[in-house]
Amino acid sequence: LRLDLWRSFHELADRGTTLLISTHVMDEATRCDELVLMRDGGIVAADTPSALLEQTGATDIEGAFLALAGEAGS
């Protein structure tokens, strides 16, 4: 089911539809073109998945989020 949903999302986006997807599942988040990471109702970071990985040096988006959320909580 999830693969069908993501296929549909990408088909809609390819036709010019803007989609806002909210998820706490980080591997799903990497399927998006841009991410907005939030913690405690505030924006921690907003960029592409690859840019967030590069910025943090993390090997996955969950690691990037944890690194950025840790900075925001300091």
Side-chain angles (χ1 to χ4, degrees):
L1 177 63
R2 284 183 189 232
L3 290 177
D4 289 340
L5 280 174
W6 281 100
R7 191 174 300 115
S8 295
F9 292 162
H10 284 286
E11 288 171 2
L12 287 165
D14 290 345
R15 290 190 299 234
T17 302
T18 299
L19 298 156
L20 176 63
I21 298 167
S22 175
T23 183
H24 66 282
V25 180
M26 292 292 117
D27 66 319
E28 287 187 349
T30 61
R31 296 174 182 257
C32 298
D33 295 331
E34 296 181 42
L35 300 177
V36 175
L37 302 178
M38 299 180 73
R39 178 180 180 204
D40 296 328
I43 295 175
V44 173
D47 215 326
T48 64
S50 59
L52 293 171
L53 291 173
E54 185 176 330
Q55 176 184 342
T56 60
T59 57
D60 58 34
I61 287 297
E62 185 168 359
F65 170 75
L66 292 172
L68 293 162
E71 290 174 10
S74 301

